[in-house]
Amino acid sequence: MEPEARSGRMDAVAARPLVELLECPPATGNLLNGSAQYLSFDAGEVVFRQSGICRGLYVVVSGHFLRKTERLETRLTLGPVRAGDLVELAAALGDGDHTYTLTAQTAGSVLMLPIEALSQAFQSYPPLRMQLLEELAREVSRAYDVCCLSRTVKARRRSSAA
């Protein structure tokens, strides 16, 4: 893929601001705000574990966290998350099981929007679910692009070394 095309594709799948993702009528916003739980973690503490039951949608408030997963008996680091990142959309919108483990790398905090409140918000304002599904699709596209880019760089290094 040409650099210009790749740049345009990355712009199309760029993360949207959280305020846009959670944009909803005041009553729905009040429901989510009223149910939000502030959770603090020390470095090394696990926020949630892969395959555990998802309690909600998480927004990182402060600190640095790391996502890791096990797939086909292989451990993979999925990358860091920082303040402002929305975490675990797939579990909150899917079958309810966490798809990876999230661990605090530094002391930090997250805001959790409980599943029950999210379900009520989706019922009272269905476009909210679609907004979050669209963000999940962008997240998957970003991960795919990063994966493809890293493979392209490795292939070029091998070619120039030969």
Side-chain angles (χ1 to χ4, degrees):
M1 184 180 287
E2 294 297 318
E4 298 84 23
R6 187 176 300 122
S7 176
R9 175 152 168 69
M10 289 304 286
D11 289 345
V13 299
R16 288 178 43 203
L18 188 58
V19 70
E20 285 181 25
L21 292 175
L22 296 177
E23 191 174 340
C24 54
T28 305
N30 290 339
L31 167 71
L32 292 174
N33 286 336
S35 67
Q37 297 173 16
Y38 184 84
L39 308 169
S40 295
F41 297 91
D42 291 325
E45 277 191 277
V46 173
V47 178
F48 54 77
R49 294 194 185 283
Q50 181 175 344
S51 301
I53 296 172
C54 180
R55 294 179 29 220
L57 185 60
Y58 300 80
V59 180
V60 177
V61 176
S62 66
H64 292 218
F65 296 80
L66 192 62
R67 297 174 296 164
K68 291 187 177 184
T69 188
E70 289 188 32
R71 304 269 194 246
L72 304 173
E73 299 178 20
T74 303
R75 291 181 185 190
L76 302 169
T77 298
L78 301 174
V81 289
R82 295 177 178 86
D85 288 346
L86 197 56
V87 181
E88 201 48 315
L89 276 166
L93 298 172
D95 67 4
D97 290 337
H98 285 293
T99 59
Y100 54 84
T101 298
L102 184 68
T103 306
Q105 294 302 133
T106 64
S109 58
V110 299
L111 196 62
M112 184 191 61
L113 304 174
I115 286 292
E116 299 80 18
L118 278 173
S119 294
Q120 289 175 347
F122 295 156
Q123 288 175 359
S124 68
Y125 186 66
L128 179 59
R129 182 177 188 80
M130 185 54 69
Q131 288 164 203
L132 294 175
L133 284 168
E134 288 170 353
E135 180 59 20
L136 178 58
R138 282 189 291 277
E139 186 177 300
V140 169
S141 292
R142 286 190 300 273
Y144 177 78
D145 285 345
V146 167
C147 187
C148 288
L149 181 59
S150 97
R151 285 185 183 148
T152 301
V153 169
K154 287 178 186 174
R156 285 183 184 159
R157 286 183 185 157
R158 281 189 221 130
S159 296
S160 61

